[in-house]
Amino acid sequence: MSRRHLSLPTRWLMTDERMGEGLWRALERLPRGGGVVFRHHDTPPADRRALFARVLRVARRRDLLLVRAGATAMRGEMGVHGRRGRGLVTWPAHHRAEAMRGAAAGARLLFVSPLFATRSHPGARAASRAAAAGIARGLPVVAIALGGMTERRFRAVAALGFAGYAGIDCWLSGPDAPRLSPSSPSTIARAARSTIPCRGRSAGNAAR
């Protein structure tokens, strides 16, 4: 995995409606300079825009990089998830073919999942560590571990090539929720300035 990407956030929050008001607690627990993938796919459009604007205010205050999932652009977004777009492009990767599609679409960061059992996808089988490590191997991307992750579990898989991890529950509660030193505020500025031009139609809503 390319070392040139390691200035990107290494701790990420994936949002959705199940968080409720816990969203705000999770945003405050995420280390400064971290990243947020704003999903909330089932929220009505007007409410979704209003919620995104509130999250954006927190992101600016805490130097968080805010990426939008879904087809509708949001004012102030710093990147997109699962499709081609401007700013930082991130992509879900449940298997090698999906990882390769993301890299071809200009993704700089892949969320590799699931590494562990997770409430977000009940019944989904976790990948073996060897299989998970191979999903993004050799691609010019940063690999972020997703699925049942905690700081302790990340330490157990970091040597496989993962630069960081993402989650939901780990930022809401748990005894090993991280208390990390602040990331450089310039992380946001660098990623926001880096744009990948749109090349035709969306490569597809690869993950929700």
Side-chain angles (χ1 to χ4, degrees):
M1 297 163 199
S2 174
R3 304 293 296 181
R4 66 189 174 88
H5 294 293
L6 294 185
S7 61
L8 294 174
T10 61
R11 302 296 185 271
W12 287 79
L13 166 67
M14 316 292 283
T15 82
D16 66 25
E17 285 84 357
R18 291 167 296 177
M19 302 182 74
E21 290 300 306
L23 169 63
W24 311 110
R25 180 169 70 254
L27 286 167
E28 297 297 335
R29 295 187 78 168
L30 188 66
R32 293 184 68 88
V36 179
V37 177
F38 181 86
R39 297 183 299 174
H40 279 77
H41 294 288
D42 297 326
T43 301
D47 293 338
R48 192 170 191 263
R49 288 192 296 271
L51 182 61
F52 186 91
R54 285 188 64 190
V55 173
L56 179 61
R57 288 195 290 273
V58 177
R60 286 172 170 165
R61 173 171 58 81
R62 304 203 64 246
D63 296 319
L64 305 176
L65 198 158
L66 180 57
V67 172
R68 172 262 306 176
T72 303
M74 295 286 166
R75 184 184 298 274
E77 65 187 37
M78 302 167 192
V80 295
H81 177 67
R83 61 187 61 246
R84 299 178 189 268
R86 297 180 62 84
L88 176 66
V89 175
T90 69
W91 208 269
H94 302 90
H95 47 74
R96 179 69 175 182
E98 202 168 27
M100 293 177 69
R101 285 197 297 271
R108 296 175 60 199
L109 185 149
L110 298 183
F111 292 103
V112 177
S113 69
L115 266 75
F116 297 92
T118 171
R119 291 195 306 166
S120 298
H121 295 86
R125 180 179 298 179
S128 70
R129 292 186 182 184
I135 287 175
R137 183 175 291 128
L139 298 176
V141 297
V142 165
I144 299 294
L146 175 63
M149 294 302 302
T150 64
E151 191 73 18
R152 184 183 304 132
R153 284 176 169 176
F154 173 66
R155 289 195 294 270
V157 301
L160 298 175
F162 293 102
Y165 70 90
I168 300 174
D169 286 349
C170 61
W171 305 114
L172 291 172
S173 61
D176 62 342
R179 291 291 183 267
L180 304 177
S181 58
S183 300
S184 168
S186 64
T187 299
I188 294 290
R190 284 197 300 272
R193 286 196 299 267
S194 176
T195 60
I196 300 173
C198 182
R199 289 169 279 186
R201 297 184 62 185
S202 165
N205 191 5
R208 291 173 59 80

